[in-house]
Amino acid sequence: MLTLHRLSASYGRIQAVRDASLRVDQGELIALIGPNGAGKSTLLNTLSGLLRPADGEVRFGDRDITGWSAAKVARAGLLQVPEGRQVLGPLSVEDNLLLGRQALAGRISTHGLDEVYALFPILRERRRQKAGTLSGGQQQMLAIGRALMGGPRLLVLDEPSLGLAPIVVDQVFAVLQTLRRSGLTILLVEQNASLALAASDRAYVMEHGRIVLDGPSAELRHDPRIVEHYLPSAEGLAPAAAAL
Ligand code: ATP
């Protein structure tokens, strides 16, 4: 569904992504993990059209979308939930969700308001409330719900657990599993490696702008290079990861 071939991206003279190749197949949940500053967000922003690549190719389905604008990429069904949620604070929860429909551009979404409210009942309760008054976790749910309203063929999430209480992280990841079981294809950037590897089918590890390792998540969880650098001791495993 998505193929990145030798993608590079820079901010002026800082090369943030170097020669990164990655593949997401239909129905997979793929995780991209790595330390702060490794280039994960830059990679996502480049494939979703927020940044122009310096080099390389992005293919989505059978189309070469390299260099497309973010709006055009979204209309093609590649929808990103950005880091930090970015909901429209002065608008109601429901109006934020309805704005997600703009990405549809004639396509059909399996998720309308009823389906999003079924996934996140708290959003139904708060539907007339201004989005800016929601908690961080509720804003994350809203941002995911808004993307679903746009009928994603590929849902891309940047650090959905960032800054959330463990119980809320559990809720958000339970919904991601529900979406994956329903057949949605998902690409997830996540700093919490134990959680990401527990939730995903395959994973890529990024360091210093390069993809340095990839494989089935079940194998990477036991790979000494991952265990040593990315996984806390067993007692320290995030509760959400231990439950998956
Ligand atoms: P984090 O988990 O902290 O978001 P990341 O893996 O997503 O990390 P990026 O945010 O993609 O990493 O950053 C990759 C590199 O690019 C870092 O060195 C960062 O300082 C730099 N960088 C990111 N955004 C910009 C920007 N707007 N201008 C200049 N440099 C940037």
Side-chain angles (χ1 to χ4, degrees):
M1 173 164 286
L2 177 77
T3 313
L4 307 186
H5 181 64
R6 307 196 67 171
L7 199 69
S8 295
S10 305
Y11 301 101
R13 291 170 62 188
I14 302 173
Q15 205 181 353
V17 174
R18 298 161 189 262
D19 245 355
S21 296
L22 171 154
R23 194 186 85 242
V24 182
D25 292 336
Q26 174 96 39
E28 282 190 310
L29 197 164
I30 297 297
L32 178 61
I33 62 176
N36 257 329
K40 307 180 298 297
S41 298
T42 304
L43 183 110
L44 289 197
N45 291 340
T46 306
L47 68 91
S48 63
L50 293 169
L51 281 172
R52 288 184 76 87
D55 206 356
E57 188 184 61
V58 184
R59 293 195 72 84
F60 183 50
D62 52 9
R63 286 188 275 194
D64 180 348
I65 65 165
T66 318
W68 283 22
S69 71
K72 196 171 170 193
V73 171
R75 287 196 297 271
L78 195 165
L79 292 178
Q80 183 174 352
V81 179
E83 187 175 334
R85 280 86 76 171
Q86 297 179 18
V87 299
L88 296 170
L91 296 188
S92 72
V93 165
E94 193 148 300
D95 284 344
N96 267 273
L97 289 174
L98 291 172
L99 272 177
R101 279 192 181 149
Q102 285 181 345
L104 278 178
R107 290 179 301 104
I108 294 170
S109 176
T110 50
H111 287 84
L113 286 174
D114 283 345
E115 288 74 20
V116 170
Y117 288 147
L119 283 173
F120 299 114
I122 189 73
L123 296 183
R124 186 195 297 278
E125 282 173 33
R126 304 277 159 100
R127 65 185 184 279
R128 310 224 180 283
Q129 197 170 315
K130 286 184 178 172
T133 65
L134 296 178
S135 70
Q138 291 160 359
Q139 289 190 18
Q140 182 66 65
M141 293 172 191
L142 178 56
I144 295 171
R146 185 176 56 187
L148 291 174
M149 295 283 289
R153 293 169 59 213
L154 172 64
L155 181 66
V156 176
L157 298 119
D158 195 352
E159 301 260 12
S161 77
L162 195 70
L164 305 188
I167 189 166
V168 184
V169 175
D170 287 0
Q171 290 169 2
V172 168
F173 271 74
V175 166
L176 295 184
Q177 293 297 349
T178 302
L179 292 170
R180 172 227 223 160
R181 278 195 293 274
S182 74
L184 185 62
T185 311
I186 300 173
L187 173 61
L188 170 78
V189 157
E190 183 55 65
Q191 250 194 63
N192 182 335
S194 56
L195 185 55
L197 293 177
S200 56
D201 299 299
R202 290 188 298 116
Y204 292 81
V205 184
M206 199 166 187
E207 288 176 2
H208 306 298
R210 295 184 190 279
I211 306 270
V212 293
L213 193 62
D214 70 276
S217 302
E219 288 175 19
L220 290 180
R221 285 170 86 174
H222 304 290
D223 187 308
R225 292 165 289 183
I226 298 290
V227 173
E228 187 181 342
H229 294 293
Y230 292 101
L231 297 181
S233 60
E235 308 87 73
L237 271 184
L244 286 168

